[in-house]
Amino acid sequence: MALRWINTLLNAHERELKRLQPLVARINALEPECERLSDTDLLNRTGILRARVEQGEDLDWVLPEAFATVREAAKRTLGQRHYDVQLIGGMVLHHGKIAEMRTGEGKTLVATLPVYLNALAGRGVHVVTVNDYLGKTGVRWMGPVYHFLGLSVACVQQEGISYLYDPSYEGDDPYWSRLRPCTRTEAYQADVTYGTNNEFGFDYLRDNMVTDLSQCVQRELAYAIVDEVDNILIDEARTPLIISGAADEATHLYQQFTRLVPRLRADEDFTIDEKHRSIALTETGVTRTERLLGIDNLYDPANYSLTRYLEAALRAQFLHQRDRDYVVRDNEVIIVDEFTGRLMLGRRYSEGLHQAIEAKEGVPIQRETVTLATITFQNYFRLYEKLAGMTGTAATEAEEFYKIYQLDVVVIPTHRPMVRADATDLIYKTEEAKFRAVVDEIKEHHAQGQPVLVGTTSIEKSERLSALLQRHGISHEVLNAKYHEREAAIVAQAGRLGAVTIATNMAGRGVDILLGGNPEGLAIQDARHRGLDPDEDPEQYRALVDQFRAQCAREHDQVVAAGGLHIVGTEKHEARRIDNQLRGRAGRQGDPGSSRFYVSLEDDIIRRFSGDRVKNLMEWAGLQDDVPIEHKMVSKAIENAQVKVESYNFDLRKHLVEFDDVINTQRDVIYTERHKILSGADLRANIVEMVEQELAELAALRLPGREHQEWDLPTFLQEVNAILPLPAGWTEARLGQLSREEVEEQLLDHAYHLYEQREHGLGDDAPVLERLVMLRILDSLWIEHLTLLDEMRRGIGLRAYGQQDPLVAFKREGHAAFQDLRAEIRRGIARTIYHTSLTRAPATAPARPAAVPTGGQAMPARPVAPVGRNDPCPCGSGKKYKFCHGAV
């Protein structure tokens, strides 16, 4: 299947390249004309092109002139000219496809072409980066091009921080001096906005939690270019975005089960499935656990809640390792991204796993959370009218890109031929033997002055290798999640003469490794060390830059002579493209380079998926621990294992999006209703209709037929009073003299009259009260609905044992739950609107929900004094508040 997709991809991209060549010729033909224009005339072309687009001219017709204009602006501001292959990459991105471009081919510069073209429509363009640093760097680096052409450019960062490119702004840090702090709204109103996938997604969710449209920050989602698209749309797509609020206090049960599970014995009390990373108790284990807990039956309904604590404690103890899956910093457990090695600040494991890990590590257990809003990356990015992406490795995932996102992949040829030498893999019996060989390899290349970049799969492995290099006296830099802040600076200098850099997976991705070093980065570091301010002493700073430029040029020639950057992979990753990304750090823009991967039978990927086959090959060959196998057959077996894992992970992501599609349909309905409420729709008509429907249903239920003896008048009066105050003189005796139609007619007349009275008394505040009541009921019930669906999804897999398709069952039951939700929303609004008043609080600036995805969360303001959910309702009905006017 995968091979067929690759062959189809190759044929398709060849046709695409041929189709785009005439456009390249047209852009090149315009170059002399652009060169003759003055800076002012070049700037004025933006206004001319924008006017043509506003008058209805298609962007495709404007493309040649727009691309030629950007190319000339880049030449004048950056001293860089777009190559023909970069023009092709820009066209592919404009057409809403994925451009696969090798490392060092200038993807950041390529993006300026489609970004400028699509920004002419005036709807805003988003450029999505893998981290905040690259977002700021993109604005700082490409800002001069956009500013020269009259476009505004900004970036959004974590914790609500945003910056706007402003050449006149002088900040404290010379490196970022042109980035002026701005509001979130100002950043999104810019023509071009850079930011991470997390920030764009969370801002979307927060915009759908506000109580006033003025609190929204994003515009419509028109066009986005996703940098490192495979990382964002595939690697991170298994974890949905979740904004959470604090729920019940963390319980002592986490500590209790953390003390209990180490007393259970592997294989006897529980079994571990490493392939699927799952753990299950045996019958013996269940019996032992019951004895340790002092209970008769673990699965008795009275004890059922204990099973989630037990399962979380087992997973925390035996499946999640410190410095591999997470780190402990400042008395806090922080997840490590398994693909990038970066810290996922603010992210927390769900289903109590994070609390169990906190108990295991002896750090404070944070409160459990309840989901306030959630969306998968798949469904968020499918909200954009046009989506494109760029990366160095997308071809192996072409099938998933098309099936999930309807994105085609086009492989862009390199500007210069690739000359990197990729050696075959070396496979050792033991991990210890493998690391000895890795150290020998590093020593050999280091002695020749050749820079070496070593890739590891975990923090633990990087620190183990670092200790071995220290023992051999080899100076080196370590880059892993613990040193995230220095990531770009370390990687940028990894190409210096004799440099040895150890990095986890894709650390530093998006940062160019220049052979001989990055002179600007070295100059900035040296200036900071000396306390030199480039603005106060620009001549001395320029002299410093020239000094390092000359030094790096000399080192560049020496590194090229030594063979360029050498890549050493210490372990195969689950996905082949992650290995390709590591290899791709060498051999940029025709530079020399080399790579080799070292593998052992004790590596996770081998042990879990191909251990027996490779082990049999080694035993058949009769090789010793320190003697490796270097054979295509073995490498092919490892690659087949990777294909299996890729397929398995694809199924996981596909499974996630299939279930989220159910929630996504419902989310669209709720968010559309929310927007109508905020946009000033006729709320009065909607509320009155809800009251009418609720009263009609009550009459049908409590006053059936025409015989008065069948009527339940006491209950009817009590339930009507829960909706609105009863009309004067309404008694059971009086109602017994009326027909059901007369009762309904008088009740509705009273409802209309009472509503008009309340509106008159509230004056201009009436629409405010209506909006707040509807939003509060809608939001609170939607949150409970999300919790219900989450619990439903956790247990729905068991339906397979009853010969039911879990997805079909989830769709059916999720739809039924949504119909109940809509009825509850109507019921809640109808039973609240007549009993709620509006009180003025001291004026404060409107607050948006917190910027972090978990922890304390600001909810929309309540229009009444807070009442506990389980407290008696203030209306006097005798019911709990959540079942009466609280409607939650």
PDB file of all heavy atoms in Angstrom, residues 711-738:
ATOM      1  N   TRP A 711     -55.730  14.724  35.290  1.00  0.00           N
ATOM      2  CA  TRP A 711     -54.713  15.778  35.390  1.00  0.00           C
ATOM      3  C   TRP A 711     -53.959  15.698  36.725  1.00  0.00           C
ATOM      4  O   TRP A 711     -54.547  15.377  37.764  1.00  0.00           O
ATOM      5  CB  TRP A 711     -55.357  17.162  35.285  1.00  0.00           C
ATOM      6  CG  TRP A 711     -55.903  17.478  33.903  1.00  0.00           C
ATOM      7  CD1 TRP A 711     -55.992  16.635  32.844  1.00  0.00           C
ATOM      8  CD2 TRP A 711     -56.440  18.733  33.483  1.00  0.00           C
ATOM      9  NE1 TRP A 711     -56.532  17.263  31.762  1.00  0.00           N
ATOM     10  CE2 TRP A 711     -56.825  18.576  32.121  1.00  0.00           C
ATOM     11  CE3 TRP A 711     -56.639  19.967  34.089  1.00  0.00           C
ATOM     12  CZ2 TRP A 711     -57.390  19.599  31.388  1.00  0.00           C
ATOM     13  CZ3 TRP A 711     -57.189  20.996  33.358  1.00  0.00           C
ATOM     14  CH2 TRP A 711     -57.561  20.811  32.007  1.00  0.00           C
ATOM     15  N   ASP A 712     -52.674  16.018  36.672  1.00  0.00           N
ATOM     16  CA  ASP A 712     -51.834  16.092  37.881  1.00  0.00           C
ATOM     17  C   ASP A 712     -51.582  17.572  38.163  1.00  0.00           C
ATOM     18  O   ASP A 712     -50.495  18.111  37.898  1.00  0.00           O
ATOM     19  CB  ASP A 712     -50.524  15.337  37.657  1.00  0.00           C
ATOM     20  CG  ASP A 712     -49.675  15.268  38.925  1.00  0.00           C
ATOM     21  OD1 ASP A 712     -50.093  15.839  39.950  1.00  0.00           O
ATOM     22  OD2 ASP A 712     -48.579  14.655  38.880  1.00  0.00           O
ATOM     23  N   LEU A 713     -52.589  18.252  38.703  1.00  0.00           N
ATOM     24  CA  LEU A 713     -52.517  19.700  38.884  1.00  0.00           C
ATOM     25  C   LEU A 713     -51.457  20.139  39.893  1.00  0.00           C
ATOM     26  O   LEU A 713     -50.751  21.133  39.655  1.00  0.00           O
ATOM     27  CB  LEU A 713     -53.888  20.253  39.283  1.00  0.00           C
ATOM     28  CG  LEU A 713     -54.922  20.264  38.141  1.00  0.00           C
ATOM     29  CD1 LEU A 713     -56.280  20.683  38.663  1.00  0.00           C
ATOM     30  CD2 LEU A 713     -54.465  21.213  37.034  1.00  0.00           C
ATOM     31  N   PRO A 714     -51.283  19.468  41.037  1.00  0.00           N
ATOM     32  CA  PRO A 714     -50.251  19.922  41.984  1.00  0.00           C
ATOM     33  C   PRO A 714     -48.858  19.939  41.358  1.00  0.00           C
ATOM     34  O   PRO A 714     -48.103  20.900  41.511  1.00  0.00           O
ATOM     35  CB  PRO A 714     -50.345  18.904  43.125  1.00  0.00           C
ATOM     36  CG  PRO A 714     -51.738  18.391  43.045  1.00  0.00           C
ATOM     37  CD  PRO A 714     -52.076  18.343  41.578  1.00  0.00           C
ATOM     38  N   THR A 715     -48.517  18.847  40.658  1.00  0.00           N
ATOM     39  CA  THR A 715     -47.195  18.793  40.017  1.00  0.00           C
ATOM     40  C   THR A 715     -47.087  19.814  38.905  1.00  0.00           C
ATOM     41  O   THR A 715     -46.040  20.464  38.731  1.00  0.00           O
ATOM     42  CB  THR A 715     -46.935  17.377  39.460  1.00  0.00           C
ATOM     43  OG1 THR A 715     -47.092  16.419  40.501  1.00  0.00           O
ATOM     44  CG2 THR A 715     -45.531  17.277  38.880  1.00  0.00           C
ATOM     45  N   PHE A 716     -48.165  19.993  38.150  1.00  0.00           N
ATOM     46  CA  PHE A 716     -48.157  20.965  37.055  1.00  0.00           C
ATOM     47  C   PHE A 716     -47.874  22.376  37.578  1.00  0.00           C
ATOM     48  O   PHE A 716     -47.030  23.099  37.049  1.00  0.00           O
ATOM     49  CB  PHE A 716     -49.505  20.923  36.329  1.00  0.00           C
ATOM     50  CG  PHE A 716     -49.635  21.958  35.244  1.00  0.00           C
ATOM     51  CD1 PHE A 716     -48.913  21.864  34.063  1.00  0.00           C
ATOM     52  CD2 PHE A 716     -50.481  23.047  35.414  1.00  0.00           C
ATOM     53  CE1 PHE A 716     -49.035  22.824  33.080  1.00  0.00           C
ATOM     54  CE2 PHE A 716     -50.605  24.009  34.434  1.00  0.00           C
ATOM     55  CZ  PHE A 716     -49.890  23.902  33.250  1.00  0.00           C
ATOM     56  N   LEU A 717     -48.557  22.760  38.646  1.00  0.00           N
ATOM     57  CA  LEU A 717     -48.370  24.100  39.208  1.00  0.00           C
ATOM     58  C   LEU A 717     -46.953  24.273  39.762  1.00  0.00           C
ATOM     59  O   LEU A 717     -46.335  25.332  39.624  1.00  0.00           O
ATOM     60  CB  LEU A 717     -49.402  24.362  40.305  1.00  0.00           C
ATOM     61  CG  LEU A 717     -50.846  24.555  39.815  1.00  0.00           C
ATOM     62  CD1 LEU A 717     -51.806  24.632  40.984  1.00  0.00           C
ATOM     63  CD2 LEU A 717     -50.957  25.820  38.957  1.00  0.00           C
ATOM     64  N   GLN A 718     -46.459  23.212  40.397  1.00  0.00           N
ATOM     65  CA  GLN A 718     -45.104  23.287  40.962  1.00  0.00           C
ATOM     66  C   GLN A 718     -44.059  23.465  39.851  1.00  0.00           C
ATOM     67  O   GLN A 718     -43.138  24.270  39.973  1.00  0.00           O
ATOM     68  CB  GLN A 718     -44.802  22.017  41.756  1.00  0.00           C
ATOM     69  CG  GLN A 718     -43.424  22.022  42.430  1.00  0.00           C
ATOM     70  CD  GLN A 718     -43.163  20.723  43.186  1.00  0.00           C
ATOM     71  OE1 GLN A 718     -44.007  19.829  43.217  1.00  0.00           O
ATOM     72  NE2 GLN A 718     -41.991  20.619  43.783  1.00  0.00           N
ATOM     73  N   GLU A 719     -44.235  22.736  38.745  1.00  0.00           N
ATOM     74  CA  GLU A 719     -43.251  22.807  37.661  1.00  0.00           C
ATOM     75  C   GLU A 719     -43.383  24.101  36.871  1.00  0.00           C
ATOM     76  O   GLU A 719     -42.385  24.628  36.375  1.00  0.00           O
ATOM     77  CB  GLU A 719     -43.388  21.584  36.756  1.00  0.00           C
ATOM     78  CG  GLU A 719     -42.970  20.294  37.473  1.00  0.00           C
ATOM     79  CD  GLU A 719     -43.044  19.072  36.579  1.00  0.00           C
ATOM     80  OE1 GLU A 719     -43.585  19.182  35.454  1.00  0.00           O
ATOM     81  OE2 GLU A 719     -42.571  18.002  36.997  1.00  0.00           O
ATOM     82  N   VAL A 720     -44.605  24.628  36.734  1.00  0.00           N
ATOM     83  CA  VAL A 720     -44.768  25.925  36.091  1.00  0.00           C
ATOM     84  C   VAL A 720     -44.099  27.008  36.931  1.00  0.00           C
ATOM     85  O   VAL A 720     -43.427  27.910  36.410  1.00  0.00           O
ATOM     86  CB  VAL A 720     -46.265  26.253  35.872  1.00  0.00           C
ATOM     87  CG1 VAL A 720     -46.442  27.727  35.495  1.00  0.00           C
ATOM     88  CG2 VAL A 720     -46.856  25.358  34.801  1.00  0.00           C
ATOM     89  N   ASN A 721     -44.226  26.902  38.242  1.00  0.00           N
ATOM     90  CA  ASN A 721     -43.612  27.885  39.139  1.00  0.00           C
ATOM     91  C   ASN A 721     -42.087  27.850  39.055  1.00  0.00           C
ATOM     92  O   ASN A 721     -41.423  28.839  39.341  1.00  0.00           O
ATOM     93  CB  ASN A 721     -44.073  27.621  40.574  1.00  0.00           C
ATOM     94  CG  ASN A 721     -43.653  28.748  41.504  1.00  0.00           C
ATOM     95  OD1 ASN A 721     -43.920  29.913  41.237  1.00  0.00           O
ATOM     96  ND2 ASN A 721     -42.972  28.399  42.590  1.00  0.00           N
ATOM     97  N   ALA A 722     -41.539  26.688  38.672  1.00  0.00           N
ATOM     98  CA  ALA A 722     -40.090  26.590  38.487  1.00  0.00           C
ATOM     99  C   ALA A 722     -39.640  27.341  37.239  1.00  0.00           C
ATOM    100  O   ALA A 722     -38.476  27.719  37.126  1.00  0.00           O
ATOM    101  CB  ALA A 722     -39.662  25.127  38.394  1.00  0.00           C
ATOM    102  N   ILE A 723     -40.584  27.561  36.308  1.00  0.00           N
ATOM    103  CA  ILE A 723     -40.258  28.290  35.080  1.00  0.00           C
ATOM    104  C   ILE A 723     -40.503  29.782  35.266  1.00  0.00           C
ATOM    105  O   ILE A 723     -39.654  30.613  34.945  1.00  0.00           O
ATOM    106  CB  ILE A 723     -41.081  27.749  33.892  1.00  0.00           C
ATOM    107  CG1 ILE A 723     -40.721  26.283  33.635  1.00  0.00           C
ATOM    108  CG2 ILE A 723     -40.834  28.590  32.637  1.00  0.00           C
ATOM    109  CD1 ILE A 723     -41.568  25.624  32.558  1.00  0.00           C
ATOM    110  N   LEU A 724     -41.672  30.152  35.770  1.00  0.00           N
ATOM    111  CA  LEU A 724     -42.007  31.565  35.953  1.00  0.00           C
ATOM    112  C   LEU A 724     -43.014  31.693  37.092  1.00  0.00           C
ATOM    113  O   LEU A 724     -43.719  30.727  37.418  1.00  0.00           O
ATOM    114  CB  LEU A 724     -42.584  32.152  34.663  1.00  0.00           C
ATOM    115  CG  LEU A 724     -44.012  31.788  34.237  1.00  0.00           C
ATOM    116  CD1 LEU A 724     -44.454  32.689  33.102  1.00  0.00           C
ATOM    117  CD2 LEU A 724     -44.149  30.343  33.813  1.00  0.00           C
ATOM    118  N   PRO A 725     -43.085  32.858  37.735  1.00  0.00           N
ATOM    119  CA  PRO A 725     -44.060  33.046  38.818  1.00  0.00           C
ATOM    120  C   PRO A 725     -45.484  32.802  38.311  1.00  0.00           C
ATOM    121  O   PRO A 725     -45.837  33.222  37.203  1.00  0.00           O
ATOM    122  CB  PRO A 725     -43.863  34.511  39.226  1.00  0.00           C
ATOM    123  CG  PRO A 725     -42.470  34.831  38.784  1.00  0.00           C
ATOM    124  CD  PRO A 725     -42.239  34.044  37.539  1.00  0.00           C
ATOM    125  N   LEU A 726     -46.286  32.103  39.112  1.00  0.00           N
ATOM    126  CA  LEU A 726     -47.655  31.779  38.699  1.00  0.00           C
ATOM    127  C   LEU A 726     -48.509  33.044  38.621  1.00  0.00           C
ATOM    128  O   LEU A 726     -48.318  33.993  39.382  1.00  0.00           O
ATOM    129  CB  LEU A 726     -48.283  30.801  39.689  1.00  0.00           C
ATOM    130  CG  LEU A 726     -47.692  29.379  39.719  1.00  0.00           C
ATOM    131  CD1 LEU A 726     -48.265  28.606  40.893  1.00  0.00           C
ATOM    132  CD2 LEU A 726     -47.974  28.656  38.409  1.00  0.00           C
ATOM    133  N   PRO A 727     -49.488  33.057  37.687  1.00  0.00           N
ATOM    134  CA  PRO A 727     -50.416  34.194  37.629  1.00  0.00           C
ATOM    135  C   PRO A 727     -51.219  34.302  38.927  1.00  0.00           C
ATOM    136  O   PRO A 727     -51.471  33.296  39.617  1.00  0.00           O
ATOM    137  CB  PRO A 727     -51.332  33.842  36.455  1.00  0.00           C
ATOM    138  CG  PRO A 727     -50.570  32.833  35.651  1.00  0.00           C
ATOM    139  CD  PRO A 727     -49.744  32.074  36.638  1.00  0.00           C
ATOM    140  N   ALA A 728     -51.601  35.491  39.251  1.00  0.00           N
ATOM    141  CA  ALA A 728     -52.389  35.720  40.468  1.00  0.00           C
ATOM    142  C   ALA A 728     -53.699  34.930  40.398  1.00  0.00           C
ATOM    143  O   ALA A 728     -54.379  34.918  39.377  1.00  0.00           O
ATOM    144  CB  ALA A 728     -52.675  37.206  40.631  1.00  0.00           C
ATOM    145  N   GLY A 729     -54.031  34.268  41.516  1.00  0.00           N
ATOM    146  CA  GLY A 729     -55.305  33.550  41.594  1.00  0.00           C
ATOM    147  C   GLY A 729     -55.302  32.178  40.969  1.00  0.00           C
ATOM    148  O   GLY A 729     -56.354  31.527  40.902  1.00  0.00           O
ATOM    149  N   TRP A 730     -54.156  31.729  40.543  1.00  0.00           N
ATOM    150  CA  TRP A 730     -54.120  30.390  39.938  1.00  0.00           C
ATOM    151  C   TRP A 730     -54.113  29.339  41.053  1.00  0.00           C
ATOM    152  O   TRP A 730     -53.167  29.230  41.823  1.00  0.00           O
ATOM    153  CB  TRP A 730     -52.869  30.249  39.067  1.00  0.00           C
ATOM    154  CG  TRP A 730     -53.165  30.525  37.604  1.00  0.00           C
ATOM    155  CD1 TRP A 730     -53.909  31.533  37.116  1.00  0.00           C
ATOM    156  CD2 TRP A 730     -52.716  29.750  36.483  1.00  0.00           C
ATOM    157  NE1 TRP A 730     -53.966  31.479  35.753  1.00  0.00           N
ATOM    158  CE2 TRP A 730     -53.227  30.377  35.324  1.00  0.00           C
ATOM    159  CE3 TRP A 730     -51.946  28.613  36.331  1.00  0.00           C
ATOM    160  CZ2 TRP A 730     -52.997  29.894  34.039  1.00  0.00           C
ATOM    161  CZ3 TRP A 730     -51.703  28.140  35.061  1.00  0.00           C
ATOM    162  CH2 TRP A 730     -52.227  28.762  33.919  1.00  0.00           C
ATOM    163  N   THR A 731     -55.192  28.581  41.131  1.00  0.00           N
ATOM    164  CA  THR A 731     -55.316  27.503  42.107  1.00  0.00           C
ATOM    165  C   THR A 731     -55.773  26.253  41.379  1.00  0.00           C
ATOM    166  O   THR A 731     -56.226  26.308  40.230  1.00  0.00           O
ATOM    167  CB  THR A 731     -56.336  27.851  43.190  1.00  0.00           C
ATOM    168  OG1 THR A 731     -57.629  28.039  42.577  1.00  0.00           O
ATOM    169  CG2 THR A 731     -55.937  29.125  43.939  1.00  0.00           C
ATOM    170  N   GLU A 732     -55.696  25.139  42.084  1.00  0.00           N
ATOM    171  CA  GLU A 732     -56.152  23.895  41.469  1.00  0.00           C
ATOM    172  C   GLU A 732     -57.638  23.963  41.157  1.00  0.00           C
ATOM    173  O   GLU A 732     -58.093  23.474  40.109  1.00  0.00           O
ATOM    174  CB  GLU A 732     -55.865  22.721  42.414  1.00  0.00           C
ATOM    175  CG  GLU A 732     -54.380  22.451  42.620  1.00  0.00           C
ATOM    176  CD  GLU A 732     -54.150  21.272  43.547  1.00  0.00           C
ATOM    177  OE1 GLU A 732     -55.012  20.355  43.579  1.00  0.00           O
ATOM    178  OE2 GLU A 732     -53.118  21.261  44.248  1.00  0.00           O
ATOM    179  N   ALA A 733     -58.381  24.610  42.043  1.00  0.00           N
ATOM    180  CA  ALA A 733     -59.828  24.703  41.825  1.00  0.00           C
ATOM    181  C   ALA A 733     -60.132  25.494  40.572  1.00  0.00           C
ATOM    182  O   ALA A 733     -61.012  25.116  39.769  1.00  0.00           O
ATOM    183  CB  ALA A 733     -60.486  25.351  43.039  1.00  0.00           C
ATOM    184  N   ARG A 734     -59.447  26.607  40.381  1.00  0.00           N
ATOM    185  CA  ARG A 734     -59.729  27.424  39.200  1.00  0.00           C
ATOM    186  C   ARG A 734     -59.341  26.697  37.915  1.00  0.00           C
ATOM    187  O   ARG A 734     -60.069  26.725  36.922  1.00  0.00           O
ATOM    188  CB  ARG A 734     -58.963  28.739  39.294  1.00  0.00           C
ATOM    189  CG  ARG A 734     -59.226  29.642  38.078  1.00  0.00           C
ATOM    190  CD  ARG A 734     -58.474  30.936  38.154  1.00  0.00           C
ATOM    191  NE  ARG A 734     -58.644  31.697  36.909  1.00  0.00           N
ATOM    192  CZ  ARG A 734     -58.038  32.831  36.633  1.00  0.00           C
ATOM    193  NH1 ARG A 734     -57.219  33.358  37.541  1.00  0.00           N
ATOM    194  NH2 ARG A 734     -58.243  33.449  35.491  1.00  0.00           N
ATOM    195  N   LEU A 735     -58.183  26.043  37.937  1.00  0.00           N
ATOM    196  CA  LEU A 735     -57.741  25.334  36.733  1.00  0.00           C
ATOM    197  C   LEU A 735     -58.679  24.188  36.389  1.00  0.00           C
ATOM    198  O   LEU A 735     -58.840  23.836  35.217  1.00  0.00           O
ATOM    199  CB  LEU A 735     -56.318  24.796  36.923  1.00  0.00           C
ATOM    200  CG  LEU A 735     -55.186  25.832  37.014  1.00  0.00           C
ATOM    201  CD1 LEU A 735     -53.831  25.133  37.109  1.00  0.00           C
ATOM    202  CD2 LEU A 735     -55.209  26.756  35.821  1.00  0.00           C
ATOM    203  N   GLY A 736     -59.294  23.625  37.440  1.00  0.00           N
ATOM    204  CA  GLY A 736     -60.234  22.522  37.182  1.00  0.00           C
ATOM    205  C   GLY A 736     -61.448  22.953  36.402  1.00  0.00           C
ATOM    206  O   GLY A 736     -62.207  22.104  35.902  1.00  0.00           O
ATOM    207  N   GLN A 737     -61.703  24.263  36.285  1.00  0.00           N
ATOM    208  CA  GLN A 737     -62.866  24.765  35.534  1.00  0.00           C
ATOM    209  C   GLN A 737     -62.513  25.114  34.091  1.00  0.00           C
ATOM    210  O   GLN A 737     -63.394  25.520  33.323  1.00  0.00           O
ATOM    211  CB  GLN A 737     -63.421  26.018  36.229  1.00  0.00           C
ATOM    212  CG  GLN A 737     -63.872  25.777  37.663  1.00  0.00           C
ATOM    213  CD  GLN A 737     -64.218  27.071  38.379  1.00  0.00           C
ATOM    214  OE1 GLN A 737     -64.224  28.135  37.765  1.00  0.00           O
ATOM    215  NE2 GLN A 737     -64.525  26.973  39.664  1.00  0.00           N
ATOM    216  N   LEU A 738     -61.222  25.002  33.733  1.00  0.00           N
ATOM    217  CA  LEU A 738     -60.773  25.383  32.398  1.00  0.00           C
ATOM    218  C   LEU A 738     -60.396  24.151  31.583  1.00  0.00           C
ATOM    219  O   LEU A 738     -60.055  23.098  32.124  1.00  0.00           O
ATOM    220  CB  LEU A 738     -59.550  26.304  32.491  1.00  0.00           C
ATOM    221  CG  LEU A 738     -59.702  27.602  33.302  1.00  0.00           C
ATOM    222  CD1 LEU A 738     -58.363  28.315  33.394  1.00  0.00           C
ATOM    223  CD2 LEU A 738     -60.752  28.513  32.670  1.00  0.00           C
TER     224      LEU A 738
END
